[in-house]
Amino acid sequence: LAPLTSANSVWDDSTLNKILQRGELRIGIETGYMPFEMRDKNGDIIGFDVDIARHMARAMGVELKLINTAWDGIIPALLTDKFDLVMGGMTITPERNLKVNFCDPYMVIGQTVLLRKGLADTVTSYRDLNNKQYTIVSKLGTTGEIAARRYLSRATILTFESESEAALEVRNGRADAFVFDFPYNAIFIAENPEGLVHLDQPFTHEPLGWAVRKGDPDFLNWLNNYLAQIRGDGTYDALYKRWFES
Ligand code: ARG
């Protein structure tokens, strides 16, 4: 008879098993992305993803560790095992999906435009910005940057390390438009109503999902069933209301 250990070796290597052995779930995030993950006045990390992360760790019976990582390095950090999954409002794109696995989408969003108010009469759709007279800003390595380069290729496109640096360029009149995820833009303009207009019709289709390393079906299975559970039992809706509807 083959020893049981060899039959168990695949399971022993799963991320899920390592989390249970370690007693700690490590989640990669990047703060600054309202309302998913950001810092409050005391510097504590809060948000929709953070509440889900806490609840997830409790469901596994382990401690939670949030690891803040620059967005353009977050997939490489996942692949080199700096954390167990990425939970950062990451859009499931076919290109990223070549490198990582994604859980089922936990939300669907799209790109919108925060426009310099002075342009409100001339620019009524993102399409009007595809002109060399305009300067478009977004965040480095995001689907905002990808959408700007794809749909607004005639414009000058500048990228910034953080969402807020980019959006402030428009508010301060140094750029014409900020292309980024709808939820972020809706909150940014509510907090900075001066000088901005939100063209709030999303022009891309972007399912958001948690990213994990490839070849780890045990972990993917746990995460997808966990997501289905919190969607069905009201946990997801309660958190959604707290962060997106108040
Ligand atoms: N959804 C966009 C993307 O996947 C932006 C996500 C930004 N997330 C963050 N934690 N800063 O590229």
Side-chain angles (χ1 to χ4, degrees):
L1 276 176
L4 271 174
T5 46
S6 85
N8 281 340
S9 65
V10 171
W11 183 80
D12 287 345
D13 279 352
S14 77
T15 299
L16 185 57
N17 197 37
K18 286 181 189 150
I19 293 164
L20 298 177
Q21 304 268 306
R22 195 193 298 131
E24 184 180 74
L25 168 65
R26 305 166 310 167
I27 300 190
I29 55 156
E30 195 221 31
T31 55
Y33 179 61
M34 312 178 289
F36 294 81
E37 50 238 28
M38 62 253 195
R39 291 193 189 269
D40 67 10
K41 289 188 189 83
N42 305 319
D44 293 326
I45 301 175
I46 58 164
F48 180 71
D49 282 346
V50 178
D51 281 355
I52 292 184
R54 270 207 203 94
H55 185 272
M56 181 185 284
R58 235 179 290 132
M60 287 179 176
V62 298
E63 298 293 311
L64 173 67
K65 184 173 188 180
L66 294 175
I67 300 174
N68 198 22
T69 302
W71 189 251
D72 67 329
I74 207 160
I75 287 183
L78 172 70
L79 298 180
T80 51
D81 199 27
K82 300 290 186 293
F83 32 76
D84 304 310
L85 73 147
V86 175
M87 190 183 272
M90 183 174 278
T91 302
I92 302 174
T93 68
E95 197 209 356
R96 288 172 178 163
N97 211 171
L98 296 173
K99 298 183 204 142
V100 298
N101 278 182
F102 285 102
C103 299
D104 297 338
Y106 69 113
M107 198 179 294
V108 178
I109 58 105
Q111 295 301 305
T112 61
V113 173
L114 287 183
L115 186 71
R116 185 161 63 76
K117 202 173 211 151
L119 290 174
D121 293 335
T122 5
V123 175
T124 56
S125 150
Y126 75 97
R127 285 193 195 87
D128 301 333
L129 290 165
N130 191 18
N131 186 310
K132 68 177 181 345
Q133 76 191 89
Y134 295 127
T135 298
I136 312 296
V137 291
S138 190
K139 177 178 156 84
L140 182 68
T142 63
T143 46
E145 178 185 4
I146 294 168
R149 295 197 190 284
R150 179 171 306 157
Y151 299 109
L152 308 175
S153 58
R154 293 200 186 109
T156 301
I157 292 157
L158 303 176
T159 57
F160 292 80
E161 287 284 341
S162 73
E163 289 81 353
S164 64
E165 281 173 275
L168 286 171
E169 288 292 292
V170 182
R171 203 213 43 196
N172 296 338
R174 286 191 296 265
D176 298 306
F178 172 59
V179 173
F180 204 57
D181 299 20
F182 170 85
Y184 181 91
N185 284 348
I187 295 175
F188 190 90
I189 197 168
E191 290 179 353
N192 302 271
E194 308 272 284
L196 293 173
V197 171
H198 192 188
L199 303 182
D200 62 1
Q201 269 311 314
F203 62 93
T204 59
H205 171 81
E206 303 195 20
L208 308 181
W210 308 325
V212 299
R213 287 179 291 278
K214 289 200 206 186
D216 197 353
D218 285 4
F219 195 31
L220 206 57
N221 175 256
W222 191 93
L223 290 167
N224 279 332
N225 285 320
Y226 167 77
L227 177 59
Q229 177 62 33
I230 62 169
R231 274 191 182 283
D233 71 12
T235 303
Y236 181 98
D237 289 347
L239 294 179
Y240 188 91
K241 274 204 191 79
R242 176 184 308 163
W243 293 104
F244 292 89
E245 287 169 8
S246 59

